[in-house]
Amino acid sequence: MTGSPVVENGSTSRPTPGPTADLAASPVHVPGHRLRWTTANVDEGLPGIVTPMTWSLYFPPTEQTMRDCWVDLGVMPRSAREIPDDVDLRFLSVAHGHAIANVDNMGQMAARVPGGSAAMMEEQLFGSVQAGGLPEPRGWAKMRRYPIVAVKFPVALRRAIKALPALAEESERWWSRRAFALDSAGLDEATAALVEARDMFEKGLSVHMPLSMAAQGLMGQVQNLAESAGLASGGELIKSDEGTAEFELVRDLWRLSRDEIDVNGFVRRHGYHGPREGLVDSVVWREDSTMVTALAARYRTRADAENVDDLVVRRRREHDEAVRRLHAGLSPARRRLASALIGFAAQVPTWRETGRANILRGVDVTRAAARSIGRQLADAGVLAEPGDVFFLTIDELASRRTGEYADLVARRRLDHEAYSAIDLPHVWHGAPEPVVSTAPRSTDDSDATDDTAAASTGDTPEIRTLTGLGVSAGVAQGRVQVIRDLDDAEIEDGTVMVCKATDPGWASLFPLAEAVVTDVGSAMSHAAIVCRELGLPCVANTRTGTTELKDGMLVRVDGTAGTVEVLAPQ
C-alpha cells in the first residue's frame, strides 16, 4: 500500500525518476509497507538526505536503544527487544534517503503508559494528530501492562537520572581527547575510533531514551494541569533551574564577544555544534570556526542588549509569575501536587539538551574518524576523493573490504543525487510515493510537505495569519527573515527568525532574534525548549512558514496562541 500522491513542489507532478536500478540495495531506502510513517520530528536532528555513513551510525543503535527503553520501562515484553525483520514493526527507518518514524508503533507504546495516549504522543512529538492510524488500545489491551510499568518505570527513570551527569562528564572528556587528535591518527587508530564512536553514541542514547519518554509524560501532565487551571499552555511552566547545555553555549558566545574567552577556548567546549550537526558529513565549528567569529562579532554589536545574567533573572521572574497564575486556578490541595510536579518537570530541559549534547559528541568523533579514514584511503588510491568515505557504512569500513568501495560509492552517489530532488509527504501510509521537487533548494532545505508544495505554486492568496503550535509563550513583533542554512545566517536587529527546524547549533542565533517560527516541531522540539529557556516567543509546526512568510514582512508572533499575524507586506 502506497501513500497518497503529493503534488510536485514547484510544477506539475511528473513520474519520479529512480535513483539506481536496485533500490533494495540502497542502505538509505528501507520503507515500511502498511502503517503510518512521518518525517516530522526526525528531520529536526537529521535534516535532508542522510548518507550511508550517517545512517549506519544511527541505525541500529537508535532503534535498539528505543526498544530497550520500552522493555526496561515495562511497556513492551522482553520478547520484543530484538529488532524485527519486518520494517513496519520498527520505530524508525529510512526512505529515499529521508529518516522516518513509525507514527502508529510509537502511538501504541505511548497508549500503554498510565496517563498516556497515542493522540498525546503525536501532538507532543510530531506537532499534530493525523487521522487514519491504528485504533487506540482500550480496556484490557491498554491496561494489562500497567502493573508492570508501575514497577519498572520508576526504576528505569531513577537509573537514567543518576547516570546522566556522569555520562555527560565522560562524554565531554572523551570527545575533547578524541575529536581533536584524529587528524594525525593512522588508519588503524582512526578505524578503531570510528567503531568506538558508534559505541559511545549508543551509550548516550541508552540514557537519553528513557529520559525522553519520561519527559513526554511530564509534559502531558503539566499541560493537563495548566488546562484545568484555565491556562492556555503549560510550556512556560517548564524551565530548568540553571539552564541547559545550549544555554551555556549562548553564555559562552556572550563571553567570547566580550573577550573573556578566545575562539579556541569556545571551540574546545562547543566545537561539535554547527550547521546540520546531526549529519556525519556536515562541517562543524571544530573544523571551521569562521561562523563562531562572525557570531561573536554580531553579539558584540548588541552592547545594550540583555546580558545572560539579566536573562536568568528575567526567566526566573516569568516562571514564578506563570506558577502563580497556575496556583490561582487550583484548590489548595492541588497546589501542593502542582508544585511537586513543576519542580520535577524542571529537569526536562536538562534531560533533553544534555542528552542531545552527549549524542552529538558521538556524531562528531564519528565525523573526525571518517574524515581521517577518507583522507588516507584517497591518498592510497582506494577512494577517488576523501568525501567518498561518507557513502560507505561504518561496518564496511571496519571490514576493510577495500576492493568493493569504488563500486559502492559510485552507485550511492547517484542515489544521493536523485534522493536530494525528492520530497516526501508529512505523514503517509505504507511506502511513500515520492515526488520530484523543482523548487530551489538549499543544502538544508528538505522534506517539503504537500502544504508547502501548494504554497509554492503562487496560486494561493496572500496570507494574513499563519497558525501553528504555541510552544513558548509571549508576543513579539518584527521583520521576517527566512533562514534555510545556519552557516549563511545574517540576523538583523528586530528579526523574527523563520526556519524549517532547528538543531542545537541554532541556539547561537536565538538571542539575536525577537521570536522564532518553524515549519515542523512540537512542544518537545529543540526550538521550543531553548526558546522557553531564553524567554523567546516561538510558534512551531506552521508547516508552510518558510514558503508563505517572506523576508521583510512585518509580523506579530504570539507564542501562546500559536499564531503569526502579518501586519505589513515586504
Side-chain angles (χ1 to χ4, degrees), residues 6-15 421 423 435-440 452-459:
V6 193
V7 296
E8 183 179 333
N9 184 12
S11 69
T12 304
S13 180
R14 65 177 183 273
D423 288 332
V435 294
V436 175
S437 170
T438 60
T452 303
S456 67
T457 64
D459 295 332

Side-chain angles (χ1 to χ4, degrees), residues 148-173:
I148 303 172
V149 173
V151 172
K152 297 186 71 172
F153 201 123
V155 174
L157 180 57
R158 282 196 300 270
R159 186 188 304 124
I161 292 173
K162 182 179 180 180
L164 183 63
L167 179 59
E169 291 183 14
E170 178 189 359
S171 169
E172 190 168 6
R173 288 195 304 269

Side-chain angles (χ1 to χ4, degrees), residues 308-326:
V308 175
D309 291 333
D310 290 340
L311 171 61
V312 171
V313 173
R314 174 171 64 83
R315 31 188 305 279
R316 286 177 178 165
R317 185 175 60 247
E318 291 171 348
H319 181 256
D320 290 344
E321 175 58 24
V323 173
R324 187 198 63 76
R325 291 197 306 272
L326 174 71

Side-chain angles (χ1 to χ4, degrees), residues 404-416:
E404 303 174 5
Y405 291 171
D407 288 342
L408 289 173
V409 168
R411 181 168 67 245
R412 290 169 184 176
R413 275 194 176 276
L414 289 174
D415 290 346
H416 191 81

